[in-house]
Amino acid sequence: MDITERFLNYTQFDTQSAEESESVPSTSKQLIFAEYLKKELEKEGLDDVELDEKGYIYATLKANTKDEIPTIGFISHYDTSPDCSGADIKPRIIRNYDGSDIELSEGIISSPKKFPELLQHVGEDLIVTDGHTLLGADDKAGIAEIVQAMVYLQEHKEIKHGKIRVAFNPDEEIGMGAHHFNVEKFGCEWAYTMDGGDIGELEFENFNAASAKITIKGVSVHPGYAKGKMVNANALAAEFAALLPADETPETTEGYQGFYHLLGIQSNIEQAKMSYIIRDHDRDKFEDRKRFIQLCVEKMNEKYGEGTVEAIVSDQYYNMKEKIDPQMHVIDLVLRAMQDTGVAPKVRPIRGGTDGAQLSFKGLPCPNIFAGGLNFHGPYEFVPIQSMEKAMEVIIKICELVGSYNA
């Protein structure tokens, strides 16, 4: 089985996770794919294959040398985004893409005018959707690359390598992927998530992240007799939102710039609930942003009375850079592997989070490498077959380089 067939097989499983669920994994259908993947790993000859009760899969490719070599790992998630259906995916391969519009289905066009990244892959073979579902390259492409690399290493015993661990987890798309990951059981000195985007991406910086839940208490009175009595929580919610900088939102920022993002408002006269996320790469600026939320609360309460506005600010994850910086050999190995496989590195900060960030703070340094897909979480998602093949080559080369690595 080649990497394309493997990936196409994976897309036939609906593994969409669910934000509102309290179960682990968040959807039972994820476990159907997990069982399939467990059997596949066993069939492909990996050892210590385990699927735990929470849907986490662990397996081992044993060392083929007696040399003292660090144990490393490769990780991908198997859930797909709640943002778009992952059921009944109908993938199609566009061979030798010529740069023109792609008709996914009648009336649904993927055009380089809207998605100029298509033009970076002219001449390649693109796997696309039928325009009604996402594709699932985020992150089933990563799984296919890892499994295919392990198969290749078993077939090419001339490549000396140490013990390699692989793991696949649920619920990354809802921010829960690393929560039940057993770092001690995984037993690696460091690892890599294969969960990046376009070919060459290498990420070891991400946002510091927090959530802010704002509750505003109003007073409902008949509008004909409301003077001096009514406190309209709807209006106060709008006033609170206006206190935050208009030029520090996702739609006005890029690169290392942080933001406040209003996810949603539920409100009436008596009560308003606002949900924000707070993001910044710089830890000090991140702390300043959290304090500013509290200052806005205090300002509103000074105006409308103590207890009118309350905020619960909770940290979600932190910038993995502070954990990677002391161990930059983890990055140097990837850069060398990309160089040796003809991949131009694109080192950039993640304007978001990754399982690797949480794992890094659990004691497992874990930067993020490209899996090759683009336009994730929607029907215009696609992945070039050549990018998946290159990702697989990078994994193999990392294992080979670590085999000659002297810790």
Side-chain angles (χ1 to χ4, degrees):
M1 184 185 302
D2 66 12
I3 195 169
T4 303
E5 182 182 359
R6 197 178 299 278
F7 171 70
L8 293 176
N9 286 347
Y10 294 166
T11 65
Q12 300 311 291
F13 291 84
D14 179 8
T15 57
Q16 189 180 51
S17 48
E19 288 270 9
E20 68 280 1
S21 173
E22 295 183 1
S23 64
V24 181
S26 63
T27 54
S28 59
K29 57 190 175 183
Q30 292 184 69
L31 289 173
I32 297 173
F33 179 63
E35 291 283 1
Y36 171 88
L37 193 53
K38 176 180 182 288
K39 292 176 182 177
E40 183 175 81
L41 293 172
E42 292 170 340
K43 180 182 176 182
E44 296 294 3
L46 275 75
D47 292 293
D48 308 322
V49 181
E50 176 187 350
L51 170 60
D52 71 16
E53 70 281 359
K54 296 186 182 297
Y56 289 70
I57 305 169
Y58 307 93
T60 300
L61 180 64
K62 290 184 177 179
N64 63 0
T65 174
K66 294 183 179 180
D67 294 341
E68 290 291 328
I69 297 172
T71 298
I72 66 167
F74 296 91
I75 303 166
S76 289
H77 66 90
Y78 56 76
D79 66 313
T80 60
S81 171
D83 295 344
C84 183
S85 173
D88 195 25
I89 294 172
K90 295 181 173 64
R92 177 165 58 102
I93 301 176
I94 307 296
R95 297 289 183 185
N96 193 24
Y97 173 61
D98 62 6
S100 62
D101 288 356
I102 300 172
E103 185 175 15
L104 302 176
S105 61
E106 186 175 356
I108 303 176
I109 306 297
S110 182
S111 171
K113 292 179 182 178
K114 186 173 183 180
F115 304 107
E117 54 270 24
L118 282 163
L119 297 178
Q120 302 301 314
H121 298 280
V122 170
E124 299 178 8
D125 304 316
L126 311 184
I127 304 177
V128 301
T129 76
D130 69 350
H132 297 287
T133 67
L134 47 66
L135 180 63
D138 180 14
D139 190 24
K140 289 170 183 168
I143 298 174
E145 292 151 8
I146 292 170
V147 175
Q148 202 70 28
M150 297 304 105
V151 171
Y152 185 94
L153 287 170
Q154 290 182 94
E155 293 174 347
H156 293 78
K157 300 189 185 302
E158 71 276 9
I159 300 175
K160 299 303 178 185
H161 59 81
K163 181 180 177 180
I164 302 165
R165 292 279 278 161
V166 301
F168 307 118
N169 59 269
D171 291 340
E172 187 271 351
E173 296 291 359
I174 60 171
M176 300 294 291
H179 282 213
H180 301 282
F181 193 104
N182 192 325
V183 168
E184 184 177 352
K185 178 190 292 183
F186 198 44
C188 295
E189 295 193 29
W190 71 87
Y192 302 96
T193 49
M194 301 298 299
D195 191 23
D198 204 0
I199 186 169
E201 286 189 6
L202 171 60
E203 300 154 330
F204 60 95
E205 300 180 68
N206 60 278
F207 278 139
N208 296 290
S211 66
K213 305 294 184 183
I214 313 299
T215 301
I216 300 173
K217 299 175 182 177
V219 177
S220 180
V221 179
H222 188 289
Y225 308 95
K227 185 175 181 180
K229 301 174 183 177
M230 178 185 286
V231 179
N232 190 335
N234 296 304
L236 267 61
E239 184 175 342
F240 184 91
L243 292 175
L244 301 181
D247 60 349
E248 296 181 20
T249 64
E251 57 268 39
T252 62
T253 54
E254 61 184 353
Y256 286 94
Q257 296 172 320
F259 58 73
Y260 305 91
H261 181 35
L262 178 58
L263 294 177
I265 304 175
Q266 294 178 323
S267 70
N268 52 36
I269 302 297
E270 285 194 324
Q271 186 180 76
K273 292 186 176 182
M274 310 173 74
S275 176
Y276 281 91
I277 59 172
I278 304 165
R279 300 289 188 265
D280 210 296
H281 282 90
D282 184 277
R283 187 65 174 265
D284 290 337
K285 292 180 180 178
F286 173 63
E287 297 298 333
D288 288 342
R289 289 185 182 280
K290 292 191 294 180
R291 281 191 289 269
F292 185 71
I293 290 286
Q294 297 292 355
L295 287 173
C296 291
V297 170
E298 292 171 11
K299 184 174 183 178
M300 295 286 289
N301 284 334
E302 286 174 5
K303 184 175 181 180
Y304 294 104
E306 192 64 34
T308 302
V309 182
E310 297 178 348
I312 299 175
V313 179
S314 304
D315 288 358
Q316 295 171 310
Y317 53 82
Y318 304 107
N319 190 345
M320 75 170 91
K321 186 177 187 294
E322 65 181 82
K323 298 298 182 181
I324 301 296
D325 275 350
Q327 303 192 59
M328 282 301 290
H329 64 276
V330 173
I331 301 301
D332 294 339
L333 281 163
V334 183
L335 294 173
R336 171 71 185 279
M338 288 187 179
Q339 177 185 340
D340 289 355
T341 54
V343 174
K346 302 172 185 174
V347 181
R348 57 187 55 164
I350 309 171
R351 285 184 61 79
T354 167
D355 280 344
Q358 296 182 52
L359 292 173
S360 293
F361 281 88
K362 292 177 75 171
L364 179 67
C366 196
N368 193 38
I369 300 175
F370 72 95
L374 298 100
N375 297 340
F376 294 145
H377 297 190
Y380 300 99
E381 182 183 3
F382 71 95
V383 62
I385 292 173
Q386 287 80 1
S387 295
M388 289 198 297
E389 291 172 341
K390 278 297 181 184
M392 180 192 75
E393 291 178 25
V394 169
I395 294 170
I396 293 166
K397 181 56 68 171
I398 290 171
C399 295
E400 181 180 358
L401 291 171
V402 176
S404 58
Y405 172 76
N406 186 11

